[in-house]
Amino acid sequence: MTTSGCLDNPLHADYYADRAVQRRVAIVENVRLARDTYRVRFACPEIARRIVPGQFLMMRLADVNDPLLARPLALYDTVPDDDGVSTAIDIVYLTLGKMTRRLAECAAGAELDVWGPLGNGFPPEPTEHLIMVAGGIGQTPFLALGQEYLGQRQYGEPPRRVVRAKRVALCYGVRAADLLAGVPDFEAAGFDVRLSSDDGSVGHHGLVTDLLGRMLEETRGEDRLVVCCGPEPMMEAVADLCRLHAARCAVSLETPMACGIGICFSCVAKVRQPDGSWDWKRTCVEGPVFDAAKIVW
Ligand SMILES: Cc1cc2nc3c(=O)[nH]c(=O)nc-3n(C[C@H](O)[C@H](O)[C@H](O)COP(=O)(O)OP(=O)(O)OC[C@H]3O[C@@H](n4cnc5c(N)ncnc54)[C@H](O)[C@@H]3O)c2cc1C
Ligand code: FES
């Protein structure tokens, strides 16, 4: 995680949207992946070639005033053209409220306003074993990240270099089997995919943290980097497990956001300071990815 910058200025952040662009884009496809879960694809070469795993976009339906505010959505993957240059973006979303429900009804050709790339993204820290832990819709940032760690894809401008991991695993927990979204993509990428469900309809009948606990036992003594995204109680439990197993852990917070660019302070989280105190940090410009050991849950 980056620590450079004007540390004496409490408003300083390393990831202001200085390199972000705003574009009106047309939906290329909007397909259902699972219950209440869709993947929307749109061409936007300027964002596609800059964005890195863990970064996000703000998205609005074009010419719609309700909802007025854009919503943050993480990169699922970029789509390369025939020359291997990323030109389009895939976002996977769960239908929850006004924006995502209306988005699910949009057909190819419908327009969206998007701006990004935003936030810090996952730091490309070298590790022997990348363990990604997802709860609910929290799996969305991990296709791109895992592909990057397996040397299959590069992201960013210039393309960022990530030291190849020996193994990439995904522990993915859902309420029920019909909510699983993207598993064929994760398996095709070669991740070691381990599933859990609350109702026992797929994989381990229980919590995703049970899967993580087993994996941390299996990899004892190896260099592990755990990355996590999902509901806050799950991320807190993952952070505790990682502390017990002396594994590094980064979490991607999903706090509601109004502006996405550091102005409104609607997205703050409590983060520990070097002197042991805590301070509010804006998830949109100082996150969404934080060192789990620094979050005050
Ligand atoms: C960095 C980041 C990345 C994200 N990435 C993704 C992603 O990749 N995919 C994804 O699906 N989501 C992602 N999210 C979450 C996503 O931004 C939210 O789910 C988004 O707010 C949905 O917008 P909406 O308009 O559909 O729902 P909202 O209207 O914003 O509603 C969100 C929740 O609030 C509830 N709600 C709304 N109005 C009310 C009300 N009046 N009273 C009580 N409850 C209410 C809804 O039922 C719902 O549970 C991300 C969030 C962040 C911060
Ligand atoms: S969403 Fe406005 S400051 Fe983060």
Side-chain angles (χ1 to χ4, degrees):
M1 269 134 269
T2 180
T3 52
S4 64
C6 315
L7 294 178
D8 50 346
N9 175 359
L11 291 186
H12 175 77
D14 286 306
Y15 296 96
Y16 280 113
D18 299 343
R19 297 187 70 228
V21 295
Q22 179 170 7
R23 290 287 178 271
R24 178 155 292 192
V25 298
I27 292 176
V28 176
E29 60 180 31
N30 194 16
V31 293
R32 187 179 180 275
L33 297 185
R35 166 155 60 108
D36 300 335
T37 312
Y38 297 78
R39 175 176 55 71
V40 64
R41 176 172 296 175
F42 51 87
C44 190
E46 298 95 329
I47 298 180
R49 66 172 182 258
R50 289 177 195 176
I51 197 162
V52 299
Q55 285 192 304
F56 64 97
L57 307 168
M58 295 297 283
M59 183 187 286
R60 295 183 71 241
L61 308 179
D63 301 322
V64 169
N65 290 328
D66 183 21
L68 184 64
L69 297 175
R71 304 294 196 244
L73 293 162
L75 172 72
Y76 184 66
D77 205 359
T78 60
V79 185
D81 65 13
D82 292 343
D83 299 322
V85 179
S86 292
T87 52
I89 290 186
D90 280 348
I91 299 286
V92 168
Y93 63 96
L94 183 70
T95 55
L96 272 182
K98 273 185 184 169
M99 201 289 271
T100 50
R101 285 204 189 119
R102 289 185 188 173
L103 181 59
E105 289 164 9
C106 292
E111 292 186 318
L112 306 169
D113 288 324
V114 296
W115 53 98
L118 301 171
N120 54 359
F122 288 101
E125 289 179 18
T127 186
E128 271 179 45
H129 193 174
L130 179 71
I131 305 174
M132 307 183 291
V133 187
I137 194 66
Q139 89 285 23
T140 59
F142 294 139
L143 177 64
L145 186 70
Q147 291 180 144
E148 201 179 27
Y149 269 88
L150 288 175
Q152 297 166 355
R153 294 287 313 275
Q154 280 194 297
Y155 300 89
E157 188 182 53
R160 70 177 193 174
R161 290 176 61 81
V162 176
V163 178
R164 230 183 130 152
K166 281 190 194 152
R167 292 165 66 193
V168 169
L170 173 68
C171 301
Y172 178 14
V174 284
R175 279 180 284 127
D178 60 353
L179 285 162
L180 282 175
V183 172
D185 295 337
F186 305 134
E187 288 177 340
F191 306 167
D192 174 1
V193 178
R194 307 203 181 174
L195 304 174
S196 70
S197 55
D198 295 352
D199 67 355
S201 52
V202 67
H204 165 68
H205 187 174
L207 299 175
V208 72
T209 42
D210 302 337
L211 300 178
L212 174 64
R214 276 184 222 153
M215 190 156 279
L216 288 170
E217 288 295 343
E218 281 170 27
T219 57
R220 189 178 283 277
E222 288 177 37
D223 174 47
R224 287 97 39 110
L225 173 62
V226 175
V227 289
C228 175
C229 185
E232 210 167 293
M234 174 220 138
M235 290 201 284
E236 182 178 359
V238 167
D240 284 347
L241 260 179
C242 290
R243 190 168 30 78
L244 284 175
H245 288 262
R248 290 174 290 155
C249 179
V251 289
S252 182
L253 300 185
E254 288 201 345
T255 52
M257 293 180 181
C259 73
I261 56 174
I263 297 167
C264 70
F265 282 72
S266 65
C267 62
V268 289
K270 284 183 182 175
V271 176
R272 278 197 189 85
Q273 302 303 292
D275 66 1
S277 65
W278 63 265
D279 198 1
W280 296 110
K281 295 290 172 193
R282 287 158 293 174
T283 300
C284 64
V285 289
E286 286 149 306
V289 180
F290 292 95
D291 179 347
K294 293 198 175 139
I295 301 287
V296 182
W297 299 100

